[in-house]
C-alpha cells in the first residue's frame, strides 16, 4: 500500500461545507405549535413560499429538512443506514425498547428479518378469510338507508383482524384487548407528538393513564404468550405471534417476551388506525365519484381486482393517511441533492406533498383511478408506505385487507352516491381521517354479487 492510500484510509470522512435549504423566519415555538395542531396548513404555506425543500426548526425534533422531491426521497431511502437512521426521539417512549420503532442500524435489520416473513404474500393469503368474516360480522348490524360514519365500523374490523391474525387472540383475551386498545391507541397517538415528561407522573395524568394501559396489556400478553406456547397445534399456528415465537435471529437466539409484547403493540398501533382511515377515505371518495363506484360494482361481480386496486392507490395518493416519515443524520455531513445537511438534523419526506406533485400526477387534485390502469405509480413519488429499509412492514397486509373489505361491502351492499361536499381532512394525532368519519348510506342487496 502506498503512503498516499494509507493516509486516505486513515482520514476522517470528508466534511463538506454546509448548504442547508431556506428556512421560514417563524419562531421555533410557533413552528412547533403549527406542526402539532395545523401541520398540513403550515407546511403547504411554507412550500408555496420556499418550494419543495425547506428547513424547519421544531421543539422536540430539532432541525428538520422537509422534502417533497422524488429524487431526494430516493436518495434518503436508499442511503446507507450508518449515514441516516431512525428519527430522534424515536417512538420508544410509546412502544418500549423492544419495538422496531425503537431500533436502529444492525438491531433494526435483524428485527426486520424476523418481522418480514409473517407479512409476505403467502402468509397474508391465510388471512383473507378473516378479513371477509370480520367485515360480514360487523356489517350484520348495518341499517338500510341510514347514514353512518364508516370510520367507526372500519376501526372495529381492522382491530378485530389484527387481534385475530397478528395476536391469534380468541375468547376472553380477545375481549379484554378489544376493550383497552381503542382508548389507549387514541391517547398514545395524541401523545406521540409530545416529549415524555422525565419525572414520575400521577395515575390521572395522560402519561399515567398510558402507563396503566400498558400494565394491563402486559398482563394480558403474558397470559396469551403462555397459552400460545402451550397450544398442541403451536407448530402449525399461522398467527404472527406464533410465527414470532417460533423464529430466531441469525445467532439462534429468539425474541424475549418483553420484545414480543412491544412488537405486537407496535404492529397493532401501526396497522389498525391507518388501515381503517384508508378504508373510510375509500368510501368517502367513491360516493363522490358515481362513475368510479359503478365500475367498482361491475368488477365486484367478477374475480378481477385491477380497478379496485387502482381506486385504493388513488385514494392513498389523494387522501394520504400518514403524511410524512423522517430519518436522522448520523454522518458529519449528508449530501442531499445540492444540499449538504449537518449531523443531528432530521430529513423528513413529506408524503402528502409528494403525492400532489403535478410533475408525476398531472392535475393532481383530480381523483382518477384510471392513472394506474396498465401503469404502476412512480416508485419514489407514490410512497404511502414510506421507503427503503424502514418501509412499512404491513404494506401488503394493509393492501389486501382494504381490497377484501371493500370487495365484501360492494358485494353485499348498494352504496348510495353522494352530492355532499368533500369531507375535510382531519388529524387524529398520527393518521389523517375524513372529518365526518366517511359518512355513507347503504342498502343491503337482496342477493349478494358473486364471482361464480
Ligand atoms: C394503509 C395502512 C398503512 C399505512 C398508510 C402505513 C404507513 C406506514 C408508513 C408511512 C410507515 C413509515 C415507513 C418509513 O419510515 O419509510 C410505516 C411503518 C410501519 N408500519 Fe405501516 N402503514 C399501514 C399499515 C400497516 C399495517 C397493517 C401494519 C402491521 C400490521 C404496519 C406496520 C408498520 C410497522 C411495524 C412499521 C415500522 C417499520 C420499520 O420501522 O421498520 N403498517 N407504515
Amino acid at each position: 500500500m502506498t503512503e498516499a492510500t494509507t493516509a486516505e484510509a486513515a482520514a476522517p470522512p470528508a466534511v463538506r461545507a454546509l448548504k442547508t435549504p431556506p428556512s421560514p423566519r417563524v419562531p421555533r415555538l410557533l413552528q412547533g405549535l403549527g406542526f402539532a395542531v395545523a401541520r398540513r396548513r403550515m407546511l403547504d404555506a411554507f412550500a408555496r413560499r420556499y418550494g419543495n425543500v425547506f428547513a424547519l426548526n421544531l421543539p422536540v425534533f430539532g432541525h428538520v429538512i422537509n422534502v417533497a422531491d422524488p429524487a431526494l426521497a430516493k436518495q434518503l431511502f436508499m442511503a446507507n443506514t450508518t449515514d441516516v437512521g431512525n428519527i430522534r426521539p424515536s417512538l420508544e417512549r410509546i412502544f418500549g425498547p423492544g419495538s422496531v420503532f425503537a431500533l436502529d442500524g444492525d438491531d433494526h435489520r435483524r428485527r426486520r428479518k424476523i418481522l418480514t416473513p409473517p407479512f409476505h404474500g403467502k402468509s397474508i393469503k391465510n388471512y383473507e378469510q378473516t378479513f371477509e368474516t370480520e367485515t360480514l360480522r360487523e356489517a350484520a348490524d348495518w341499517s338500510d338507508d341510514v347514514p353512518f360514519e364508516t370510520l367507526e365500523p372500519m376501526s372495529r374490523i381492522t382491530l378485530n383482524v389484527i387481534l385475530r391474525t397478528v395476536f391469534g387472540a380468541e375468547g376472553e383475551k380477545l375481549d379484554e384487548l378489544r376493550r383497552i386498545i381503542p382508548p389507549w391507541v387514541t391517547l398514545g397517538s395524541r401523545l406521540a407528538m409530545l416529549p415524555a415528561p422525565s419525572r414520575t407522573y400521577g395515575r390521572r395524568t395522560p402519561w399515567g393513564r398510558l402507563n396503566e394501559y400498558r400494565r394491563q396489556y402486559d398482563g394480558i400478553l403474558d397470559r396469551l404468550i403462555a397459552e400460545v406456547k402451550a397450544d398442541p397445534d403451536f407448530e402449525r399456528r399461522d398467527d404472527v405471534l406464533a410465527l414470532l415465537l417460533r423464529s430466531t435471529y441469525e445467532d439462534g437466539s429468539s425474541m424475549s417476551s418483553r420484545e414480543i409484547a412491544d412488537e405486537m403493540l407496535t404492529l397493532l398501533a401501526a396497522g389498525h388506525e391507518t388501515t381503517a382511515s384508508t378504508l373510510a377515505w375509500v368510501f368517502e371518495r367513491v360516493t363522490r365519484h358515481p362513475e368510479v363506484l359503478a365500475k367498482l360494482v361491475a368488477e365486484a361481480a367478477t374475480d378481477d381486482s385491477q380497478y379496485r386496486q387502482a381506486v385504493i392507490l388513488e385514494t392513498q395518493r389523494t387522501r394520504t393517511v400518514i403524511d410524512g416519515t423522517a430519518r436522522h443524520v448520523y454522518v458529519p455531513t449528508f449530501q442531499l441533492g445540492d444540499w449538504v445537511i449537518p449531523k443531528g438534523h432530521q430529513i423528513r419526506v413529506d408524503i402528502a406533498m409528494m403525492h400532489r406533485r403535478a410533475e408525476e400526477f398531472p392535475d393532481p387534485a383530480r381523483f382518477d383511478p384510471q392513472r394506474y390502469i396498465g401503469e404502476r405509480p412512480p416508485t419514489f413519488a407514490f410512497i404511502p408506505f414510506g421507503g427503503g429499509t424502514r418501509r412499512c412492514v404491513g404494506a401488503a397486509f394493509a393492501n389486501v385487507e382494504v381490497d377484501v373489505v371493500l370487495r365484501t361491502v360492494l358485494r353485499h351492499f348498494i352504496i348510495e352516491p353522494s352530492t355532499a361536499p368533500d369531507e375535510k381532512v382531519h388529524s387524529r394525532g398520527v393518521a389523517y381521517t375524513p372529518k365526518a368519519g366517511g359518512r355513507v348510506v347503504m342498502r343491503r342487496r337482496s342477493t349478494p354479487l358473486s364471482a361464480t
Side-chain angles (χ1 to χ4, degrees):
M1 198 184 272
T2 64
E3 261 181 43
T5 48
T6 314
E8 254 167 45
V15 179
R16 285 156 287 220
L18 297 182
K19 189 176 172 218
T20 52
S23 57
R25 266 188 269 137
V26 176
R28 178 179 147 98
L29 269 179
L30 217 55
Q31 291 193 32
L33 191 68
F35 197 81
V37 302
R39 183 158 69 243
R40 293 308 334 148
R41 210 157 353 122
M42 181 180 84
L43 295 180
D44 289 347
F46 289 164
R48 279 194 294 277
R49 172 110 166 72
Y50 299 101
N52 285 334
V53 189
F54 51 84
L56 300 164
N57 186 4
L58 303 171
V60 185
F61 298 107
H63 293 280
V64 177
I65 311 297
N66 201 72
V67 171
D69 176 324
L72 302 188
K74 178 175 181 185
Q75 212 186 324
L76 185 71
F77 286 147
M78 306 314 274
N80 201 316
T81 51
T82 49
D83 291 357
V84 294
N86 202 5
I87 48 155
R88 291 204 184 161
S90 80
L91 291 174
E92 174 177 343
R93 65 200 190 287
I94 307 274
F95 300 109
S99 160
V100 68
F101 280 139
L103 303 178
D104 213 353
D106 272 354
D107 291 339
H108 178 258
R109 188 190 52 77
R110 288 167 73 234
R111 177 62 58 79
R112 285 286 299 224
K113 263 196 145 159
I114 286 199
L115 211 51
T116 307
F119 290 98
H120 267 161
K122 216 172 99 221
S123 308
I124 295 165
K125 197 92 198 112
N126 296 334
Y127 304 146
E128 281 187 28
Q129 188 57 54
T130 310
F131 300 157
E132 185 172 329
T133 311
E134 286 303 327
T135 310
L136 291 175
R137 186 211 301 265
E138 180 64 35
D141 295 339
W142 292 353
S143 307
D144 285 357
D145 302 317
V146 179
F148 67 99
E149 297 181 10
T150 49
L151 185 57
E152 268 186 38
M154 293 306 131
S155 297
R156 282 192 292 270
I157 293 171
T158 61
L159 178 62
N160 285 339
V161 156
I162 290 203
L163 292 180
R164 285 179 198 277
T165 62
V166 175
F167 285 67
E170 293 295 340
E172 188 196 315
K173 282 175 208 69
L174 179 72
D175 290 338
E176 285 180 72
L177 287 167
R178 228 179 347 220
R179 182 175 52 75
I180 66 163
I181 279 161
W184 185 16
V185 169
T186 308
L187 183 64
S189 52
R190 297 221 166 103
L191 297 182
M193 293 292 153
L194 303 173
S198 50
R199 59 190 178 79
T200 45
Y201 9 82
R203 289 180 75 141
R204 284 174 191 281
T205 63
W207 287 98
R209 281 181 15 237
L210 213 59
N211 279 355
E212 176 54 24
Y213 282 129
R214 178 69 206 219
R215 204 188 52 75
Q216 291 179 27
Y217 167 82
D218 283 340
I220 303 171
L221 250 266
D222 283 347
R223 281 180 280 133
L224 187 61
I225 290 175
E227 188 182 281
V228 171
K229 279 182 172 166
D231 184 348
D233 255 350
F234 176 59
E235 290 299 332
R236 278 194 297 277
R237 285 179 71 118
D238 64 7
D239 48 272
V240 175
L241 175 56
L243 291 166
L244 291 187
L245 286 168
R246 290 204 298 266
S247 45
T248 50
Y249 290 116
E250 291 136 345
D251 64 2
S253 64
S254 36
M255 285 172 79
S256 70
S257 296
R258 218 24 63 242
E259 283 178 324
I260 289 191
D262 288 355
E263 203 62 293
M264 300 301 281
L265 177 61
T266 304
L267 294 171
L268 187 144
H272 154 53
E273 199 180 349
T274 44
T275 312
S277 309
T278 304
L279 274 159
W281 275 123
V282 168
F283 290 112
E284 192 275 349
R285 289 292 75 202
V286 302
T287 48
R288 271 123 183 118
H289 295 85
E291 69 298 345
V292 172
L293 185 55
K295 281 192 193 176
L296 276 178
V297 174
E299 188 189 61
T302 72
D303 274 332
D304 291 346
S305 61
Q306 189 194 34
Y307 194 70
R308 197 163 55 248
Q309 278 295 318
V311 169
I312 296 169
L313 296 181
E314 186 65 340
T315 303
Q316 291 194 287
R317 183 186 73 79
T318 53
R319 295 296 185 273
T320 302
V321 161
I322 300 294
D323 73 328
T325 185
R327 306 286 186 265
H328 188 94
V329 175
Y330 287 133
V331 272
T333 53
F334 181 74
Q335 181 96 36
L336 184 73
D338 289 339
W339 308 107
V340 182
I341 314 294
K343 179 176 176 161
H345 277 41
Q346 324 230 36
I347 302 170
R348 175 179 188 274
V349 178
D350 195 312
I351 302 177
M353 214 180 273
M354 188 86 85
H355 287 173
R356 295 197 314 261
R357 284 171 56 97
E359 294 89 332
E360 285 79 20
F361 308 103
D363 193 2
R366 191 159 53 91
F367 181 78
D368 180 13
Q370 215 60 39
R371 295 178 201 270
Y372 315 109
I373 301 296
E375 206 164 321
R376 292 176 67 80
T379 311
F380 288 98
F382 181 81
I383 45 169
F385 296 108
T389 50
R390 305 196 80 96
R391 184 175 187 267
C392 176
V393 86
F397 183 101
N399 176 271
V400 175
E401 183 175 358
V402 172
D403 189 82
V404 172
V405 173
L406 177 59
R407 184 187 67 196
T408 309
V409 173
L410 289 164
R411 284 185 175 171
H412 289 262
F413 291 86
I414 296 169
I415 304 174
E416 287 290 322
S418 168
T419 52
D422 294 354
E423 287 191 31
K424 293 216 163 60
V425 177
H426 170 69
S427 165
R428 299 236 303 194
V430 175
Y432 283 87
T433 64
K435 181 139 196 209
R439 278 173 83 78
V440 295
V441 178
M442 297 191 194
R443 200 165 349 106
R444 192 174 300 275
R445 291 180 188 279
S446 45
T447 317
L449 300 175
S450 131
T452 45

